[in-house]
Amino acid sequence: MRKNYTVCTVLSVFALVCLLQIPGFAQNKKSAPQLNTKNVKQVVAAMTLEEKAKMVVGMGFRMPGMPPPSKKQKKEGVDIGGFKLPPSDPDAYNIPERVPGAAGRTHAIARLGIPSLTVSDGPAGLRIQPKRDGDSVKTYYATAFPVATLLASSWDTSLVRKVGVAFGNEVREYGVDILLAPALNIHRDPLGGRNFEYYSEDPLVSGRMAAAIVEGIQSNGVGTSIKHFVANNQETSRNSINTIVSERALRELYLKGFEISVKAAQPWTVMSSYNLLNGTYTSERRDLLTTILRGEWGFKGFVMTDWFGGKDAVAQIHAGNDLLMPGSPNQSEAIVEAVKSGKLNVKDLDESVERILHIVLESPTFKKYKYSDAPDLKEHAEVSRMAAANGMVLLKNDDSALPLKSGKSVAVFGNTSYDIIAGGSGSGDVNKAYTISLLQGLDNAGYKVDANLANSYTGYIADAKAKRPKQRNFFMLPPPIPEMDVTGMITTEAENTDVALVTIGRNAGEGADRKLENDFYLSDTEKAMLKSISDAYHAKGKKVVVVLNIGGVIETASWRDWVDGILLAWQPGLEAGNAIADILSGKVNPSGRLATTFPVDYGQIPAGKNFPGTPAAKPTQVVYEEGMYVGYRYFNTFNVKPAYAFGYGLSYTNFDFSDIKLSDKNFNGTLTINVRVKNTGSVAGREVVQMYLSAPTKTLDKPSEELKGFVKTVMLQPGQSQVVGFVIRATDLASFNTDKQAWIADAGKYTVKIGPSSEDIKQSESFNLAADIITEKVNKALVPQQPITELKK
Ligand code: BGC
């Protein structure tokens, strides 16, 4: 035994001595550092140019449900419905995916100890394939949380953080490193096809919601990608539209939410958008991605493109867009060539690689986290239900139509009562195990649901679905099923049931904006159905309540007088029916408030004049002529009365605002302002306290007031009150002065306005600012290529 051991040792030493004789072996070993937190620069220095160019380009696109590309397609690219995908990287198919259905991966460089990261959509839940080839037992469903617009309507950042914690747990437990969310573009126009993925028309709400969810998700040790940076407010011509916006509207509206969330929550990554901004693709704008994002805001992570976004890989790397997704070998080749020819400074490339490696070091994959593939979906469904109920908005409740006592008999009308829409389509869709319909939700809550009507609907819907043409690609929505003709049933229903619930449903998503006909406006069939149901029930002295299962704003003014109650349930995630029943029954007192305005008519929307751009047949550019006058900033300033104002929402109780107290009449660094909110009704509830500010307009045209703070009260019992406080800082007083390239608080009189909605101010106080304050000087950036004639008051 001892003899054998000695022989082995001798042989090993001999082998090592021999290896050291091989030219380059010792040096190779030395020059191949293994990535760790202390040697990022050394690792980059050890990379070949080709390796660096691979590191900044994703592993390629794997079409969901499509076979690997043919040889020809690998060379020339693939045409999908008029959109030419660049040649795919063979690695996308050759290297097995860790998480099937994830949107993309980065390259691994094994010799340097760099693993491949997996990134996956999307904003309302982790979007991965629920079943895997060769695995007939296990499923990989994820929780569909409520869409972002609903979350924003909760005005509750701790609730949204909680959603983030549950959401991020699924990201981690399914083996994903970076979630491609949240999305926080501004609701510029109600027809924006992806508005449901976005929070609000207001940047403060958007930024704070995004920060809250980023914090929650990232608390799990996984990353996020806030998107789509920036001014991606429509889907029409999304890959080619030139968005022309003034520097001021950009700074005050479109960039602001991103600025707030970057500074507050440091997302691991930012996703640049598809559109051109003032003449250049956002992914190719160094002033956006380097000067502003990193220089001014202190962003520390890396920037990735949206999928196939932008054109010029070299310009993208130079701009500071570190990772090109999903990645094509053409891009790596172009980068290598550009460095060789001197067109791209290798320093730019090195910086991008370094930024990616810093995030790789943080990732669960690098840390060899042993994910379970078994997150607690039951617990997360509870979080989803709770969040959904807390973000629904009660728009109308005449004569206390709601809450509805348990045990009542209910006639449930409308296709989407039975085929409820949990969330929007495209990359914002989630593969969930189930969705609770309104019918099931009502049943679970103890209502007597009319079975005859229910049977007719379920049969009708199943039939219509069977006849649908096959979907061409994953983000093409099937045409909505026309409402079932209920004319012959209404009288009997009105006779036999206590109340009618009618759901109006809408869906939208990636790749297309919404339409006015039969979408923003109700269809003739829907209106006729509503009218005849309300006539029949009212004739019997019974009530009609509408549930809006929608992802974006619709017209309500022409039909709302026909009904007694309207509950805006948005697209509430997989527990939809249960969450709606929680509100209908009064188990949860509605405390959602609108984070986006409902106009009386589309004609009121200032952006509507040029949405989605010109020429109408195929828009190539869109000019944001409304400037800052988006949403309530427009309605309030120009005294236009919307159907339901920004901030609006009813409760089953009432609140009183009193005792406003401002710490000083003169602004001197900061001010505090307090107000008392009291529950004066008979059930417990929560109010959203909104703080708006009116600023002097001597030097600049300014909206009549802007939201500067919001607080959701605790659960106030009847008779209980809470003092809510806000701090006002100089930055809250400042507007962006383009000529001076600075944020300036103008001297003069400011008025603080506090209330439960933007048009219902209950308490106000004024203070004075003695002299102008320049709160921040910024760089000249993002200058429009042409003068914009902006709306002024
Ligand atoms: C969407 C992104 C998404 C990406 C990856 C793009 O089409 O615009 O929001 O993250 O695809 O699926």
Side-chain angles (χ1 to χ4, degrees):
M1 181 69 186
R2 172 145 188 97
K3 199 169 152 210
N4 278 351
Y5 177 76
T6 315
V7 172
C8 281
T9 313
V10 171
L11 282 177
S12 308
V13 172
F14 177 72
L16 187 66
V17 170
C18 290
L19 277 173
L20 288 172
Q21 304 307 310
I22 299 171
F25 178 82
Q27 192 197 347
N28 242 332
K29 250 213 107 153
K30 239 173 81 214
S31 64
Q34 300 299 291
L35 181 67
N36 67 50
T37 46
K38 296 198 184 72
N39 71 354
V40 170
K41 281 202 189 295
Q42 204 192 336
V43 167
V44 177
M47 282 178 157
T48 63
L49 176 58
E50 285 69 19
E51 283 171 334
K52 290 177 188 173
K54 253 191 150 179
M55 202 65 237
V56 296
V57 172
M59 209 195 269
F61 190 57
R62 235 183 128 106
M63 271 276 268
M66 287 263 287
S70 64
K71 247 193 184 152
K72 187 164 173 262
Q73 286 171 330
K74 271 185 201 157
K75 259 179 81 188
E76 294 168 12
V78 190
D79 198 309
I80 48 159
F83 183 71
K84 186 97 168 151
L85 295 184
S88 150
D89 192 319
D91 283 357
Y93 287 88
N94 294 346
I95 302 176
E97 283 179 295
R98 191 175 62 203
V99 188
R105 289 176 288 168
T106 61
H107 284 283
I109 303 180
R111 82 175 182 95
L112 298 169
I114 304 171
S116 156
L117 298 191
T118 299
V119 304
S120 190
D121 286 305
L126 185 66
R127 183 180 162 76
I128 58 173
Q129 209 174 286
K131 293 193 176 147
R132 295 184 183 168
D133 294 344
D135 180 352
S136 57
V137 183
K138 201 165 160 31
T139 55
Y140 302 80
Y141 287 109
T143 304
F145 294 99
V147 296
T149 313
L150 182 150
L151 292 180
S153 313
S154 75
W155 295 68
D156 185 347
T157 47
S158 39
L159 173 93
V160 175
R161 192 182 189 282
K162 243 179 239 158
V163 170
V165 171
F167 195 161
N169 173 271
E170 294 187 22
V171 175
R172 189 183 70 200
E173 291 309 319
Y174 277 131
V176 171
D177 296 290
I178 298 173
L179 178 78
L180 304 173
L184 64 148
N185 296 96
I186 292 291
H187 293 165
R188 172 177 179 252
D189 189 292
L191 300 187
R194 295 182 82 174
N195 280 2
F196 72 97
E197 292 187 56
Y198 306 146
Y199 294 104
S200 170
E201 66 189 25
D202 178 81
L204 180 72
V205 175
S206 307
R208 287 187 53 187
M209 291 298 154
I213 208 157
V214 166
E215 278 172 19
I217 295 167
Q218 293 194 169
S219 70
N220 289 279
V222 295
T224 54
S225 192
I226 61 169
K227 65 189 188 182
H228 308 89
F229 192 54
V230 65
N232 182 177
N233 310 96
Q234 64 183 56
E235 288 301 284
T236 308
S237 311
R238 69 172 180 168
N239 294 89
S240 55
I241 194 86
N242 182 15
T243 305
I244 301 180
V245 202
S246 72
E247 291 150 76
R248 181 171 175 206
L250 280 168
R251 294 276 184 177
E252 293 197 7
L253 281 187
Y254 298 99
L255 291 169
K256 197 69 191 174
F258 286 95
E259 179 181 355
I260 293 170
S261 52
V262 163
K263 287 181 174 168
Q266 277 295 342
W268 287 13
T269 78
V270 168
M271 186 190 291
S272 53
S273 56
Y274 280 134
N275 53 292
L276 293 92
L277 173 62
N278 293 334
T280 307
Y281 281 107
T282 56
S283 56
E284 298 173 11
R285 288 206 78 118
R286 195 171 162 89
D287 54 358
L288 177 69
L289 305 181
T290 298
T291 312
I292 293 181
L293 178 64
R294 295 187 164 103
E296 293 180 10
W297 302 350
F299 172 63
K300 302 220 164 42
F302 71 78
V303 177
M304 69 175 91
T305 60
D306 197 347
W307 269 227
F308 307 107
K311 283 231 159 78
D312 182 343
V314 175
Q316 289 173 317
I317 295 299
H318 174 65
N321 194 120
D322 312 296
L323 178 65
L324 315 186
M325 289 304 278
S328 153
N330 287 0
Q331 292 170 311
S332 300
E333 280 159 29
I335 291 166
V336 168
E337 279 315 304
V339 172
K340 284 188 179 157
S341 70
K343 204 174 135 205
L344 179 68
N345 191 334
V346 75
K347 200 172 145 276
D348 287 341
L349 180 58
D350 287 354
E351 276 175 9
S352 286
V353 176
E354 269 182 42
R355 289 193 282 249
I356 295 171
L357 292 184
H358 280 293
I359 295 297
V360 168
L361 284 165
E362 298 289 316
S363 67
T365 298
F366 182 81
K367 294 180 177 166
K368 301 201 167 49
Y369 179 72
K370 290 203 170 37
Y371 53 95
S372 62
D373 272 334
D376 190 343
L377 296 179
K378 245 180 132 185
E379 187 191 305
H380 298 170
E382 279 306 308
V383 175
S384 181
R385 174 175 178 170
M386 190 255 305
N390 280 283
M392 291 181 187
V393 187
L394 184 61
L395 295 178
K396 176 169 183 171
N397 195 20
D398 281 5
D399 206 11
S400 298
L402 295 175
L404 265 184
K405 280 215 177 66
S406 179
K408 290 241 179 210
S409 61
V410 188
V412 183
F413 295 94
N415 295 338
T416 43
S417 296
Y418 302 87
D419 190 23
I420 206 155
I421 302 162
S425 73
S427 58
D429 197 6
V430 185
N431 296 313
K432 57 231 164 257
Y434 64 87
T435 305
I436 303 285
S437 70
L438 180 55
L439 185 79
Q440 286 167 286
L442 291 168
D443 194 44
N444 294 343
Y447 293 102
K448 288 194 215 101
V449 186
D450 184 82
N452 259 344
L453 189 60
N455 287 341
S456 307
Y457 266 109
T458 37
Y460 170 79
I461 292 166
D463 232 42
K465 281 195 173 169
K467 288 189 197 127
R468 264 177 179 168
K470 217 175 146 349
Q471 223 174 318
R472 268 204 302 140
N473 62 47
F474 80 99
F475 56 68
M476 276 272 287
L477 266 171
I481 301 169
E483 280 301 336
M484 183 174 89
D485 183 3
V486 285
T487 338
M489 310 164 93
I490 292 174
T491 328
T492 333
E493 292 298 330
E495 188 78 46
N496 297 339
T497 56
D498 298 324
V499 61
L501 284 185
V502 191
T503 306
I504 300 290
R506 291 288 183 271
N507 208 353
E510 238 186 302
D513 287 310
R514 294 172 55 211
K515 301 264 174 303
L516 285 175
E517 291 74 38
N518 305 334
D519 190 348
F520 178 79
Y521 295 109
L522 262 52
S523 68
D524 293 343
T525 325
E526 286 170 324
K527 279 194 161 183
M529 169 179 77
L530 266 184
K531 185 79 176 72
S532 42
I533 294 172
S534 91
D535 286 347
Y537 275 76
H538 289 163
K540 298 264 172 226
K542 295 176 180 175
K543 293 194 169 124
V544 179
V545 174
V546 168
V547 174
L548 296 178
N549 176 207
I550 58 184
V553 166
I554 63 166
E555 183 271 334
T556 55
S558 68
W559 54 266
R560 61 180 168 181
D561 290 346
W562 303 342
V563 301
D564 307 279
I566 306 175
L567 174 65
L568 173 56
W570 292 118
Q571 294 169 339
L574 84 178
E575 285 285 324
N578 286 333
I580 296 173
D582 287 342
I583 296 285
L584 296 178
S585 66
K587 185 174 163 201
V588 176
N589 186 353
S591 63
R593 307 287 184 258
L594 293 180
T596 201
T597 306
F598 273 58
V600 165
D601 194 68
Y602 184 71
Q604 288 185 329
I605 301 293
K609 210 162 62 121
N610 54 26
F611 182 91
T614 53
K618 194 173 186 315
T620 54
Q621 76 166 35
V622 54
V623 186
Y624 288 15
E625 285 173 353
E626 72 286 351
M628 301 156 305
Y629 293 114
V630 173
Y632 72 90
R633 285 173 168 76
Y634 169 77
F635 284 86
N636 288 15
T637 309
F638 291 84
N639 290 316
V640 179
K641 178 109 183 100
Y644 298 110
F646 176 81
Y648 169 84
L650 299 171
S651 162
Y652 295 149
T653 187
N654 297 307
F655 297 95
D656 183 50
F657 287 61
S658 67
D659 301 343
I660 188 164
K661 270 195 199 74
L662 192 62
S663 59
D664 204 326
K665 280 282 186 190
N666 292 303
F667 187 84
N668 221 330
T670 60
L671 275 181
T672 55
I673 185 147
N674 291 339
V675 72
R676 180 178 296 277
V677 183
K678 183 173 179 190
N679 181 349
T680 56
S682 54
V683 290
R686 299 179 73 190
E687 177 60 296
V688 176
V689 187
Q690 303 161 35
M691 194 262 286
Y692 297 87
L693 200 64
S694 299
T697 55
K698 273 193 323 274
T699 52
L700 287 182
D701 192 41
K702 294 179 191 168
S704 54
E705 54 264 308
E706 293 181 282
L707 183 77
K708 296 295 172 181
F710 58 89
V711 169
K712 194 160 188 174
T713 66
V714 295
M715 183 64 76
L716 293 173
Q717 297 303 318
Q720 197 188 348
S721 65
Q722 179 186 350
V723 174
V724 171
F726 297 96
V727 178
I728 300 175
R729 299 193 167 77
T731 43
D732 296 320
L733 314 186
S735 299
F736 186 72
N737 187 317
T738 312
D739 295 337
K740 302 206 167 126
Q741 267 170 245
W743 288 88
I744 301 179
D746 290 320
K749 183 180 157 198
Y750 288 78
T751 307
V752 190
K753 302 172 172 178
I754 296 185
S757 108
S758 61
E759 63 165 25
D760 189 12
I761 299 306
K762 302 282 192 198
Q763 296 265 289
S764 68
E765 266 288 3
S766 297
F767 63 87
N768 191 56
L769 175 66
D772 290 1
I773 307 175
I774 297 181
T775 59
E776 192 189 356
K777 264 285 219 191
V778 297
N779 297 286
K780 190 82 187 151
L782 313 175
V783 182
Q785 331 115 277
Q786 64 188 59
I788 307 170
T789 318
E790 280 186 334
L791 182 62
K792 285 214 162 38
K793 64 172 183 245

PDB file of all heavy atoms in Angstrom, residues 103 121 180 194 197 227-228 238 271 274 306-307 427 474-475 510, ligand 1:
ATOM      1  N   ALA A 103     -36.839  34.317 -21.444  1.00  0.00           N
ATOM      2  CA  ALA A 103     -36.700  35.121 -22.660  1.00  0.00           C
ATOM      3  C   ALA A 103     -35.283  35.160 -23.213  1.00  0.00           C
ATOM      4  O   ALA A 103     -35.083  35.426 -24.388  1.00  0.00           O
ATOM      5  CB  ALA A 103     -37.178  36.539 -22.390  1.00  0.00           C
ATOM      6  N   ASP A 121     -39.280  37.296 -18.539  1.00  0.00           N
ATOM      7  CA  ASP A 121     -40.394  38.226 -18.311  1.00  0.00           C
ATOM      8  C   ASP A 121     -41.177  37.763 -17.091  1.00  0.00           C
ATOM      9  O   ASP A 121     -41.028  36.599 -16.669  1.00  0.00           O
ATOM     10  CB  ASP A 121     -41.304  38.233 -19.543  1.00  0.00           C
ATOM     11  CG  ASP A 121     -40.633  39.006 -20.679  1.00  0.00           C
ATOM     12  OD1 ASP A 121     -40.271  40.159 -20.447  1.00  0.00           O
ATOM     13  OD2 ASP A 121     -40.461  38.427 -21.767  1.00  0.00           O
ATOM     14  N   LEU A 180     -37.420  40.552 -16.141  1.00  0.00           N
ATOM     15  CA  LEU A 180     -37.520  41.666 -17.096  1.00  0.00           C
ATOM     16  C   LEU A 180     -38.725  42.530 -16.745  1.00  0.00           C
ATOM     17  O   LEU A 180     -39.712  42.587 -17.472  1.00  0.00           O
ATOM     18  CB  LEU A 180     -37.595  41.114 -18.519  1.00  0.00           C
ATOM     19  CG  LEU A 180     -36.414  40.200 -18.885  1.00  0.00           C
ATOM     20  CD1 LEU A 180     -36.617  39.554 -20.238  1.00  0.00           C
ATOM     21  CD2 LEU A 180     -35.111  40.984 -18.856  1.00  0.00           C
ATOM     22  N   ARG A 194     -49.905  48.620 -24.255  1.00  0.00           N
ATOM     23  CA  ARG A 194     -49.271  47.986 -23.102  1.00  0.00           C
ATOM     24  C   ARG A 194     -49.496  48.784 -21.824  1.00  0.00           C
ATOM     25  O   ARG A 194     -48.799  48.556 -20.836  1.00  0.00           O
ATOM     26  CB  ARG A 194     -47.769  47.805 -23.357  1.00  0.00           C
ATOM     27  CG  ARG A 194     -47.465  46.851 -24.480  1.00  0.00           C
ATOM     28  CD  ARG A 194     -45.966  46.653 -24.679  1.00  0.00           C
ATOM     29  NE  ARG A 194     -45.420  45.679 -23.754  1.00  0.00           N
ATOM     30  CZ  ARG A 194     -44.151  45.257 -23.808  1.00  0.00           C
ATOM     31  NH1 ARG A 194     -43.317  45.730 -24.727  1.00  0.00           N
ATOM     32  NH2 ARG A 194     -43.711  44.361 -22.944  1.00  0.00           N
ATOM     33  N   GLU A 197     -49.387  47.152 -18.461  1.00  0.00           N
ATOM     34  CA  GLU A 197     -48.087  46.777 -17.883  1.00  0.00           C
ATOM     35  C   GLU A 197     -47.470  47.958 -17.143  1.00  0.00           C
ATOM     36  O   GLU A 197     -46.488  47.788 -16.428  1.00  0.00           O
ATOM     37  CB  GLU A 197     -47.120  46.362 -18.987  1.00  0.00           C
ATOM     38  CG  GLU A 197     -47.474  45.080 -19.679  1.00  0.00           C
ATOM     39  CD  GLU A 197     -46.388  44.641 -20.648  1.00  0.00           C
ATOM     40  OE1 GLU A 197     -45.224  44.493 -20.237  1.00  0.00           O
ATOM     41  OE2 GLU A 197     -46.705  44.453 -21.849  1.00  0.00           O
ATOM     42  N   LYS A 227     -38.089  48.964 -17.342  1.00  0.00           N
ATOM     43  CA  LYS A 227     -38.210  49.130 -18.783  1.00  0.00           C
ATOM     44  C   LYS A 227     -39.432  49.971 -19.108  1.00  0.00           C
ATOM     45  O   LYS A 227     -40.274  50.168 -18.229  1.00  0.00           O
ATOM     46  CB  LYS A 227     -38.306  47.753 -19.452  1.00  0.00           C
ATOM     47  CG  LYS A 227     -39.576  46.953 -19.092  1.00  0.00           C
ATOM     48  CD  LYS A 227     -39.504  45.526 -19.597  1.00  0.00           C
ATOM     49  CE  LYS A 227     -40.822  44.795 -19.408  1.00  0.00           C
ATOM     50  NZ  LYS A 227     -40.787  43.402 -19.846  1.00  0.00           N
ATOM     51  N   HIS A 228     -39.606  50.499 -20.278  1.00  0.00           N
ATOM     52  CA  HIS A 228     -38.714  50.495 -21.423  1.00  0.00           C
ATOM     53  C   HIS A 228     -38.195  51.913 -21.520  1.00  0.00           C
ATOM     54  O   HIS A 228     -38.995  52.826 -21.749  1.00  0.00           O
ATOM     55  CB  HIS A 228     -39.469  50.106 -22.702  1.00  0.00           C
ATOM     56  CG  HIS A 228     -40.254  48.816 -22.525  1.00  0.00           C
ATOM     57  ND1 HIS A 228     -41.542  48.755 -22.069  1.00  0.00           N
ATOM     58  CD2 HIS A 228     -39.875  47.515 -22.755  1.00  0.00           C
ATOM     59  CE1 HIS A 228     -41.961  47.489 -22.033  1.00  0.00           C
ATOM     60  NE2 HIS A 228     -40.979  46.716 -22.434  1.00  0.00           N
ATOM     61  N   ARG A 238     -43.591  50.181 -33.206  1.00  0.00           N
ATOM     62  CA  ARG A 238     -42.766  50.322 -31.998  1.00  0.00           C
ATOM     63  C   ARG A 238     -41.279  50.193 -32.238  1.00  0.00           C
ATOM     64  O   ARG A 238     -40.482  50.753 -31.488  1.00  0.00           O
ATOM     65  CB  ARG A 238     -43.213  49.338 -30.930  1.00  0.00           C
ATOM     66  CG  ARG A 238     -42.936  47.877 -31.250  1.00  0.00           C
ATOM     67  CD  ARG A 238     -43.241  47.040 -30.024  1.00  0.00           C
ATOM     68  NE  ARG A 238     -42.991  45.632 -30.265  1.00  0.00           N
ATOM     69  CZ  ARG A 238     -42.948  44.728 -29.314  1.00  0.00           C
ATOM     70  NH1 ARG A 238     -43.130  45.080 -28.065  1.00  0.00           N
ATOM     71  NH2 ARG A 238     -42.736  43.467 -29.587  1.00  0.00           N
ATOM     72  N   MET A 271     -33.705  48.321 -19.082  1.00  0.00           N
ATOM     73  CA  MET A 271     -33.888  47.904 -20.475  1.00  0.00           C
ATOM     74  C   MET A 271     -34.204  49.127 -21.326  1.00  0.00           C
ATOM     75  O   MET A 271     -35.174  49.831 -21.056  1.00  0.00           O
ATOM     76  CB  MET A 271     -35.034  46.890 -20.591  1.00  0.00           C
ATOM     77  CG  MET A 271     -35.173  46.303 -21.995  1.00  0.00           C
ATOM     78  SD  MET A 271     -36.706  45.328 -22.200  1.00  0.00           S
ATOM     79  CE  MET A 271     -36.366  43.926 -21.172  1.00  0.00           C
ATOM     80  N   TYR A 274     -37.532  50.338 -27.610  1.00  0.00           N
ATOM     81  CA  TYR A 274     -37.426  50.088 -29.051  1.00  0.00           C
ATOM     82  C   TYR A 274     -37.331  51.370 -29.877  1.00  0.00           C
ATOM     83  O   TYR A 274     -36.705  51.409 -30.918  1.00  0.00           O
ATOM     84  CB  TYR A 274     -38.678  49.352 -29.529  1.00  0.00           C
ATOM     85  CG  TYR A 274     -38.695  47.871 -29.258  1.00  0.00           C
ATOM     86  CD1 TYR A 274     -39.818  47.257 -28.729  1.00  0.00           C
ATOM     87  CD2 TYR A 274     -37.600  47.076 -29.581  1.00  0.00           C
ATOM     88  CE1 TYR A 274     -39.858  45.891 -28.506  1.00  0.00           C
ATOM     89  CE2 TYR A 274     -37.629  45.704 -29.351  1.00  0.00           C
ATOM     90  CZ  TYR A 274     -38.759  45.122 -28.815  1.00  0.00           C
ATOM     91  OH  TYR A 274     -38.788  43.771 -28.605  1.00  0.00           O
ATOM     92  N   ASP A 306     -34.018  46.158 -25.462  1.00  0.00           N
ATOM     93  CA  ASP A 306     -35.213  45.342 -25.610  1.00  0.00           C
ATOM     94  C   ASP A 306     -34.900  44.350 -26.742  1.00  0.00           C
ATOM     95  O   ASP A 306     -33.953  44.540 -27.524  1.00  0.00           O
ATOM     96  CB  ASP A 306     -36.442  46.205 -25.934  1.00  0.00           C
ATOM     97  CG  ASP A 306     -37.742  45.447 -25.670  1.00  0.00           C
ATOM     98  OD1 ASP A 306     -37.693  44.209 -25.491  1.00  0.00           O
ATOM     99  OD2 ASP A 306     -38.816  46.074 -25.664  1.00  0.00           O
ATOM    100  N   TRP A 307     -35.712  43.310 -26.852  1.00  0.00           N
ATOM    101  CA  TRP A 307     -35.404  42.206 -27.764  1.00  0.00           C
ATOM    102  C   TRP A 307     -35.334  42.669 -29.229  1.00  0.00           C
ATOM    103  O   TRP A 307     -36.314  43.148 -29.778  1.00  0.00           O
ATOM    104  CB  TRP A 307     -36.417  41.079 -27.560  1.00  0.00           C
ATOM    105  CG  TRP A 307     -35.947  40.079 -26.543  1.00  0.00           C
ATOM    106  CD1 TRP A 307     -35.961  38.725 -26.675  1.00  0.00           C
ATOM    107  CD2 TRP A 307     -35.358  40.318 -25.250  1.00  0.00           C
ATOM    108  NE1 TRP A 307     -35.413  38.131 -25.564  1.00  0.00           N
ATOM    109  CE2 TRP A 307     -35.033  39.077 -24.680  1.00  0.00           C
ATOM    110  CE3 TRP A 307     -35.040  41.479 -24.528  1.00  0.00           C
ATOM    111  CZ2 TRP A 307     -34.420  38.954 -23.429  1.00  0.00           C
ATOM    112  CZ3 TRP A 307     -34.431  41.356 -23.285  1.00  0.00           C
ATOM    113  CH2 TRP A 307     -34.137  40.106 -22.752  1.00  0.00           C
ATOM    114  N   SER A 427     -45.532  39.505 -23.736  1.00  0.00           N
ATOM    115  CA  SER A 427     -44.556  39.144 -22.700  1.00  0.00           C
ATOM    116  C   SER A 427     -45.065  39.499 -21.306  1.00  0.00           C
ATOM    117  O   SER A 427     -44.473  39.112 -20.308  1.00  0.00           O
ATOM    118  CB  SER A 427     -43.219  39.818 -22.971  1.00  0.00           C
ATOM    119  OG  SER A 427     -43.378  41.215 -23.016  1.00  0.00           O
ATOM    120  N   PHE A 474     -47.173  34.177 -30.220  1.00  0.00           N
ATOM    121  CA  PHE A 474     -47.608  34.213 -28.822  1.00  0.00           C
ATOM    122  C   PHE A 474     -48.168  35.551 -28.390  1.00  0.00           C
ATOM    123  O   PHE A 474     -48.840  35.638 -27.402  1.00  0.00           O
ATOM    124  CB  PHE A 474     -46.491  33.743 -27.889  1.00  0.00           C
ATOM    125  CG  PHE A 474     -45.444  34.795 -27.600  1.00  0.00           C
ATOM    126  CD1 PHE A 474     -45.497  35.525 -26.425  1.00  0.00           C
ATOM    127  CD2 PHE A 474     -44.412  35.037 -28.484  1.00  0.00           C
ATOM    128  CE1 PHE A 474     -44.532  36.477 -26.142  1.00  0.00           C
ATOM    129  CE2 PHE A 474     -43.455  35.995 -28.217  1.00  0.00           C
ATOM    130  CZ  PHE A 474     -43.509  36.709 -27.052  1.00  0.00           C
ATOM    131  N   PHE A 475     -47.871  36.635 -29.126  1.00  0.00           N
ATOM    132  CA  PHE A 475     -48.502  37.850 -28.666  1.00  0.00           C
ATOM    133  C   PHE A 475     -49.671  38.338 -29.513  1.00  0.00           C
ATOM    134  O   PHE A 475     -50.175  39.423 -29.312  1.00  0.00           O
ATOM    135  CB  PHE A 475     -47.535  38.976 -28.290  1.00  0.00           C
ATOM    136  CG  PHE A 475     -46.551  39.423 -29.326  1.00  0.00           C
ATOM    137  CD1 PHE A 475     -46.951  40.074 -30.464  1.00  0.00           C
ATOM    138  CD2 PHE A 475     -45.200  39.226 -29.093  1.00  0.00           C
ATOM    139  CE1 PHE A 475     -46.029  40.523 -31.377  1.00  0.00           C
ATOM    140  CE2 PHE A 475     -44.267  39.669 -30.000  1.00  0.00           C
ATOM    141  CZ  PHE A 475     -44.673  40.314 -31.150  1.00  0.00           C
ATOM    142  N   GLU A 510     -48.722  43.441 -26.190  1.00  0.00           N
ATOM    143  CA  GLU A 510     -47.608  43.769 -27.054  1.00  0.00           C
ATOM    144  C   GLU A 510     -47.944  43.728 -28.528  1.00  0.00           C
ATOM    145  O   GLU A 510     -48.671  42.844 -28.966  1.00  0.00           O
ATOM    146  CB  GLU A 510     -46.554  42.710 -26.804  1.00  0.00           C
ATOM    147  CG  GLU A 510     -45.283  43.281 -26.352  1.00  0.00           C
ATOM    148  CD  GLU A 510     -44.233  42.225 -26.252  1.00  0.00           C
ATOM    149  OE1 GLU A 510     -44.442  41.256 -25.511  1.00  0.00           O
ATOM    150  OE2 GLU A 510     -43.207  42.393 -26.930  1.00  0.00           O
TER     151      GLU A 510
HETATM  152  C1  BGC B   1     -40.772  43.236 -24.920  1.00  0.00           C
HETATM  153  C2  BGC B   1     -40.064  43.300 -23.590  1.00  0.00           C
HETATM  154  C3  BGC B   1     -39.719  41.901 -23.136  1.00  0.00           C
HETATM  155  C4  BGC B   1     -38.873  41.234 -24.190  1.00  0.00           C
HETATM  156  C5  BGC B   1     -38.442  39.828 -23.845  1.00  0.00           C
HETATM  157  C6  BGC B   1     -40.014  42.397 -25.937  1.00  0.00           C
HETATM  158  O1  BGC B   1     -40.793  42.147 -27.057  1.00  0.00           O
HETATM  159  O2  BGC B   1     -40.949  44.540 -25.415  1.00  0.00           O
HETATM  160  O3  BGC B   1     -40.852  43.960 -22.653  1.00  0.00           O
HETATM  161  O4  BGC B   1     -39.063  41.941 -21.915  1.00  0.00           O
HETATM  162  O5  BGC B   1     -39.616  41.170 -25.394  1.00  0.00           O
HETATM  163  O6  BGC B   1     -39.489  38.952 -23.931  1.00  0.00           O
END
